[in-house]
């Protein structure tokens, strides 16, 4: 996560794309890193207008920002995922130029979030959710080591923003579990070994030591993560989640929870691939 790596934002000249540039410019300024403007253009297409408009918008938000640009001759998904090989993160809009208005998330943003090997931020939500009004980041915490990388990014985001980080772990009792399992039962044994609050303690212990000044309230929710995380993010500036297993295959492998979040979360969503 070296600061010399650029933050890359996809631009297409549309107004939603310029709103995404606003968010990306503020983020790049916070991290003191370059903001790379990427516009996928077909052969013979003039991309200068989109790049110029995005550059002007970024400078209005953060004067003095370094703004390298690139016009890869490829489709938008391939171009952006290619940029991700050498980026701190990729930033895309919830909708882009030419997207059907009925779609809650543009096809480019969804595909990039599923395939990139660096974090991807899909900028969505109202203006108050995109401008740091709430002073809070929410991170989804899973059982085991699956969310370690996402948690690390969430701590860093909270550190550079000097804001609160709320850690949320959603859990459900095993199907058919008794309200009060008898002593010695499998369910009682599992609950004793790994109570939900312990999941948060174990995952947060390392990052909390590295970011000792962080304020990290914790929330354990009995119920599905696809409901718990949007509810927690209702008053948040960013929601950070793990990308899930991809199994080395191309395609949309984000899983049900992340699909729901990318389509319905009230704020920008950062999807972080596992190391």
């Amino acid at each position: 996560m070296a600061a010399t790596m650029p933050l890359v934002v996809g631009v297409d000249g549309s107004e939603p794309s310029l709103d995404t540039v606003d968010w990306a410019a503020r983020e790049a300024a916070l991290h003191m890193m370059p903001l790379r403007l990427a516009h996928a253009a077909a052969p013979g297409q003039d991309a200068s207008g989109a790049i110029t408009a995005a550059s002007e918008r970024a400078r209005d938000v953060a004067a003095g920002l370094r703004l390298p640009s690139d016009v890869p001759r490829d489709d938008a998904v391939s171009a952006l995922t290619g940029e991700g090989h050498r980026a701190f993160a990729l930033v895309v809009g919830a909708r882009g130029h030419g997207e059907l208005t009925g779609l809650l998330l543009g096809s480019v943003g969804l595909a990039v979030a599923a395939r990139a090997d660096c974090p991807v931020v899909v900028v969505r939500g109202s203006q108050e959710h995109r401008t740091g009004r709430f002073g809070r980041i929410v991170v989804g915490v899973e059982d085991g080591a699956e969310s370690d990388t996402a948690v690390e990014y969430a701590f860093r985001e909270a550190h550079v923003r000097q804001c609160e980080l709320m850690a949320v772990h959603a859990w459900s009792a095993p199907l058919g579990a008794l309200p009060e399992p008898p002593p010695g039962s499998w369910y009682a044994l599992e609950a004793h070994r790994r109570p939900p609050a312990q999941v948060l303690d174990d995952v947060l212990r390392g990052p909390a030591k590295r970011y000792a000044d962080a304020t990290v309230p914790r929330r354990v929710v009995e119920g599905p993560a696809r409901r718990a995380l949007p509810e927690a993010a209702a008053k948040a500036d960013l929601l950070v989640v793990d990308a899930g297993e991809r199994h080395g295959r191309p395609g949309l492998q984000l899983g049900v929870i992340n699909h729901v979040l990318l389509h319905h979360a009230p704020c920008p969503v950062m999807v972080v691939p596992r190391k």
Side-chain angles (χ1 to χ4, degrees):
M1 298 191 293
T4 54
M5 298 178 72
L7 184 68
V8 177
V9 58
V11 301
D12 62 17
S14 67
E15 189 59 33
S17 169
L18 294 177
D19 290 340
T20 301
V21 170
D22 290 347
W23 190 95
R26 285 188 289 268
E27 179 77 356
L30 283 169
H31 285 274
M32 295 184 290
M33 60 177 56
L35 177 62
R36 187 172 183 83
L37 309 172
H39 176 70
Q45 181 182 357
D46 181 12
S48 61
I51 294 293
T52 298
S55 298
E56 292 174 352
R57 190 74 167 250
R59 288 192 179 97
D60 287 342
V61 172
L65 199 62
R66 287 177 289 162
L67 292 168
S69 61
D70 189 25
V71 186
R73 300 294 172 177
D74 209 340
D75 67 274
V77 173
S78 298
L80 288 171
T81 53
E83 292 282 345
H85 297 318
R86 50 190 180 275
F88 171 77
L90 295 171
V91 182
V92 295
R95 289 197 188 95
H97 184 70
E99 297 286 0
L100 298 176
T101 56
L103 293 178
L104 294 173
L105 174 65
S107 57
V108 170
L110 188 62
V112 170
R115 299 173 188 175
D117 57 8
C118 71
V120 175
V121 179
V122 175
V123 180
R124 56 172 299 108
S126 65
Q127 184 176 7
E128 65 179 359
H129 286 92
R130 301 195 306 266
T131 54
R133 171 185 173 183
F134 296 103
R136 174 185 293 167
I137 292 172
V138 171
V139 61
V141 177
E142 299 179 45
D143 197 353
E146 288 82 359
S147 56
D148 283 358
T149 310
V151 168
E152 188 71 30
Y153 268 85
F155 266 89
R156 177 165 178 168
E157 286 294 324
H159 176 72
V160 299
R161 295 164 184 248
Q162 297 184 323
C163 74
E164 175 184 278
L165 173 62
M166 175 179 285
V168 179
H169 173 56
W171 69 284
S172 298
L175 185 63
L178 299 174
E180 295 184 6
S185 72
W186 180 87
Y187 295 118
L189 181 63
E190 287 301 303
H192 174 71
R193 285 178 176 174
R194 192 74 171 176
Q198 188 66 47
V199 172
L200 285 172
D201 290 343
D202 292 346
V203 174
L204 298 176
R205 186 175 296 111
K209 290 180 180 178
R210 291 189 290 277
Y211 296 93
D213 60 342
T215 300
V216 191
R218 306 174 183 198
R219 179 182 294 183
V220 173
V221 181
E222 184 175 2
R226 64 180 182 272
R227 285 208 305 263
L229 291 175
E231 289 174 2
K235 292 187 177 180
D237 306 313
L238 181 68
L239 171 61
V240 183
V241 293
D242 168 67
E245 291 288 352
R246 297 185 179 179
H247 307 294
R249 299 193 302 269
L252 305 181
Q253 302 173 49
L254 289 170
V256 173
I257 294 172
N258 283 343
H259 273 270
V260 170
L261 297 177
L262 290 173
H263 284 86
H264 300 288
C267 66
V269 180
M270 175 184 278
V271 179
V272 181
R274 298 174 186 175
K275 290 182 180 179

